[in-house]
Amino acid sequence: MNGKSPKPTYDELVALVERLNARIAELETQLAAAKKTSRNSSKPPSSDIVKPPADPHKPGRKGKRRIGGQKGHLKHDSKLNLDQADYIVEFKDESFVDRRNLIPAPDAKPKIIFQYELVEKPVELTAYIAYPYLDRTTGQIVYPPFPRVVEMAGLLGPRLTALAACLKGGLHASYSGARSLLGFLGADVCRATLCNKLKKMAAALSFSYDQLLTALTDESYLNIDESGHSDKPFDKPADHPKHWIWVFAATAFTVFRIFGSRSTDALREVLGANCEAIIGSDFYSSYKCFMKEARIKVQFCWAHLIRDIKFLGESTDKTTANYGNRLLKLCRLIFHLQHRRVELGEDLFRRKMTQVKEKFLATGRRSQATGAQDMVTRLKNFGEEYFLFLENPQIEPTNNLAEREIRHCVIDRRITQGTRGKSGQRWCERIWTVMATCARQRRDAFAFVAESIRTYYAGELQPSLLPNK
């Protein structure tokens, strides 16, 4: 023997090539996953911090956004007027007039400076005293009853309870933080008192919350999204399955619900099988499943679709990348037309958009690239659902409304670490719903919360957040 290894057989070479191809496919999959960012996938922006910074010299990259208000941002206008002022101080200096040889100018507008100031003692402490009386018949000591609102409220009156609720539910304050701020204002309370008062606040908001929850089933247009939620009960700190916050954004109000699942059960429970709304959402499977059960239509979010198409356009496979870039070019044209919808008028807009739609679907449904097959299948099965906005101007092509509304809850989860059981979940659902709906209806959230707790204590009809109520 000459010591040389025997030549591999044909079958052994074929097996080797198959193993190498499988390994290459595995490495390409890992590389593609590593290249996913919040820009080209649904990964959260926080995951980008482990990525290397983008190349500033890469063609097409925009410069860093400047600090402060951006171009097109509307200036905040408080629109204060004299009727809102608690005090009016007028400056009419006669000596100033005499020195300068001046006369009044009634046709000119006066200069006005509005100024808020914290009063010396913003919180009043009232002592309600019920004097004892002797019942000469029974010999017992009796007291005249306190007013219902006073007795129900206890240490914190309705408005101070409402302030604590807004701090906790609207500004992500901890119980210690809310307690400290009330202490700055002159109210000495403990965290247990605040916790008990917010439980009453949750009960006070149940009327308006349940009204909105029931009204969802009659809405024609809804935007829905979901995000993770942490719930760690005190009695089972080690056993806390992940929960999910669901947001349902209607035309004029927003409702939040927390479920122990991200499944279709949440949609079944809230909307029911008779729902006929057009829903804006991402491409999550629960919405596709609900489409088969209820009489709904789903406008799938273009923002999510475009991120997936961008990922295809960055593929190392040239055929896949060309497919993705062709679709991206058509996406830009679609949104260029969408932004000019009012300017073009409905008839012209629909004619032009229909032409682009047909070209987009024809391009998207035809590709031999291996990496593009999921997108091809998606557009074959659900391509029409991406264009419901064409015939329904009331719904946007993206799910931006729901994503904006749920952002507050995501921030709250990061700061407060979630809830501690069912009562905390109900509290969060209700205060988030009230804060979001008041913001959308341009209503004073503090005033609504204060009136809700006052009427709850008094046993009166509570205020509503339903439109036209």
Side-chain angles (χ1 to χ4, degrees):
M1 297 180 66
N2 56 10
K4 293 183 179 180
S5 300
K7 292 183 178 181
T9 65
Y10 174 79
D11 292 338
E12 289 174 335
L13 289 173
V14 170
L16 177 61
V17 170
E18 289 178 350
R19 290 197 301 271
L20 290 175
N21 285 336
R23 180 56 177 164
I24 290 171
E26 180 184 352
L27 292 174
E28 286 182 342
T29 301
Q30 293 176 0
L31 178 62
K35 292 174 67 176
K36 281 191 174 182
T37 68
S38 61
R39 188 181 64 83
N40 59 18
S41 73
S42 295
K43 295 184 68 176
S46 57
S47 66
D48 293 344
I49 60 176
V50 297
K51 304 290 182 184
D55 183 2
H57 303 294
K58 185 177 179 179
R61 177 175 172 81
K62 296 182 179 179
K64 187 177 180 180
R65 194 171 68 169
R66 65 182 180 85
I67 296 175
Q70 304 303 303
K71 184 177 181 181
H73 176 73
L74 297 178
K75 179 183 177 181
H76 174 70
D77 186 2
S78 59
K79 296 180 180 179
L80 295 174
N81 58 66
L82 291 177
D83 292 334
Q84 297 172 270
D86 297 300
Y87 303 98
I88 296 177
V89 179
E90 297 182 336
F91 290 91
K92 294 182 178 180
D93 191 339
E94 295 298 334
S95 61
F96 171 75
V97 172
D98 293 340
R99 287 198 311 271
R100 302 282 298 275
N101 191 27
L102 305 175
I103 60 173
D107 296 334
K109 292 183 178 180
K111 287 185 176 181
I112 301 176
I113 296 177
F114 290 100
Q115 185 179 87
Y116 289 111
E117 179 57 294
L118 193 65
V119 297
E120 185 173 352
K121 191 178 180 183
V123 175
E124 296 178 343
L125 178 62
T126 303
Y128 296 91
I129 302 175
Y131 289 100
Y133 292 87
L134 176 65
D135 188 331
R136 290 184 292 180
T137 303
T138 63
Q140 294 181 332
I141 299 295
V142 295
Y143 296 87
F146 289 114
R148 176 186 169 95
V149 173
V150 172
E151 193 164 16
M152 288 283 290
L155 183 61
L156 299 183
R159 290 178 62 81
L160 207 54
T161 301
L163 176 61
C166 291
L167 289 172
K168 192 78 178 68
L171 299 179
H172 318 294
S174 64
Y175 282 110
S176 295
R179 175 180 178 269
S180 296
L181 181 57
L182 295 184
F184 297 152
L185 299 178
D188 183 15
V189 297
C190 66
R191 288 181 297 180
T193 298
L194 286 177
C195 185
N196 291 331
K197 293 304 175 186
L198 292 188
K199 286 181 179 179
K200 290 186 177 181
M201 191 73 252
L205 296 177
S206 64
F207 173 78
S208 55
Y209 176 82
D210 290 342
Q211 274 192 328
L212 296 183
L213 187 63
T214 302
L216 283 175
T217 57
D218 297 325
E219 288 294 304
S220 300
Y221 304 96
L222 292 170
N223 286 85
I224 306 176
D225 198 11
E226 70 290 327
S227 182
H229 176 74
S230 177
D231 184 80
K232 301 177 182 179
F234 287 109
D235 55 342
K236 298 179 179 179
D239 182 20
H240 51 276
K242 190 172 184 179
H243 284 62
W244 295 88
I245 305 166
W246 288 74
V247 57
F248 300 82
T251 305
F253 61 89
T254 299
V255 177
F256 293 93
R257 285 279 278 156
I258 298 176
F259 289 97
S261 167
R262 199 187 179 191
S263 71
T264 314
D265 290 339
L267 298 170
R268 295 188 187 109
E269 181 175 328
V270 174
L271 301 179
N274 295 324
C275 180
E276 299 181 358
I278 296 178
I279 293 174
S281 75
D282 56 28
F283 199 62
Y284 185 57
S285 58
S286 292
Y287 303 104
K288 290 179 281 184
C289 180
F290 194 54
M291 286 174 65
K292 301 175 182 178
E293 302 178 10
R295 292 172 287 184
I296 65 166
K297 295 180 180 179
V298 179
Q299 166 65 61
F300 289 118
C301 178
W302 273 85
H304 289 76
L305 178 66
I306 289 173
R307 287 200 292 264
D308 293 339
I309 294 175
K310 282 182 177 179
F311 182 67
L312 295 178
E314 296 170 358
S315 173
T316 55
D317 178 64
K318 188 175 181 180
T319 307
T320 302
N322 289 339
Y323 169 80
N325 289 324
R326 286 197 303 273
L327 288 182
L328 273 179
K329 186 176 180 180
L330 291 170
C331 288
R332 295 188 188 99
L333 182 55
I334 287 170
F335 275 86
H336 174 71
L337 288 174
Q338 174 66 10
H339 294 153
R340 296 179 60 209
R341 185 167 192 158
V342 176
E343 175 189 341
L344 294 173
E346 277 300 304
D347 291 340
L348 181 58
F349 167 78
R350 291 186 183 185
R351 287 200 302 272
K352 287 180 174 292
M353 185 65 83
T354 300
Q355 294 173 358
V356 182
K357 168 190 171 182
E358 293 173 354
K359 188 173 182 180
F360 177 86
L361 293 180
T363 303
R365 290 168 172 172
R366 186 176 63 252
S367 176
Q368 299 301 319
T370 303
Q373 292 312 300
D374 287 345
M375 181 62 67
V376 170
T377 302
R378 183 197 300 195
L379 295 179
K380 283 182 178 178
N381 295 336
F382 299 100
E384 293 293 333
E385 277 71 24
Y386 279 98
F387 287 92
L388 295 184
F389 72 93
L390 181 57
E391 300 296 331
N392 300 274
Q394 297 89 341
I395 196 162
E396 292 290 325
T398 69
N399 198 30
N400 190 38
L401 173 59
E403 292 182 351
R404 286 200 316 268
E405 295 293 85
I406 208 169
R407 193 171 298 146
H408 174 90
C409 309
V410 174
I411 295 172
D412 192 85
R413 179 189 68 209
R414 295 280 185 180
I415 296 175
T416 67
Q417 307 303 309
T419 51
R420 293 285 189 179
K422 294 292 184 182
S423 62
Q425 293 175 28
R426 300 294 85 80
W427 152 252
C428 286
E429 290 172 348
R430 294 168 188 178
I431 192 64
W432 290 341
T433 294
V434 168
M435 300 299 288
T437 299
C438 284
R440 294 188 63 192
Q441 296 178 0
R442 299 184 181 277
R443 296 175 66 166
D444 186 338
F446 172 77
F448 181 87
V449 173
E451 181 64 8
S452 295
I453 191 68
R454 187 197 67 78
T455 52
Y456 173 74
Y457 285 159
E460 300 173 358
L461 181 65
Q462 293 177 264
S464 172
L465 284 171
L466 286 175
N468 304 321
K469 289 289 183 180

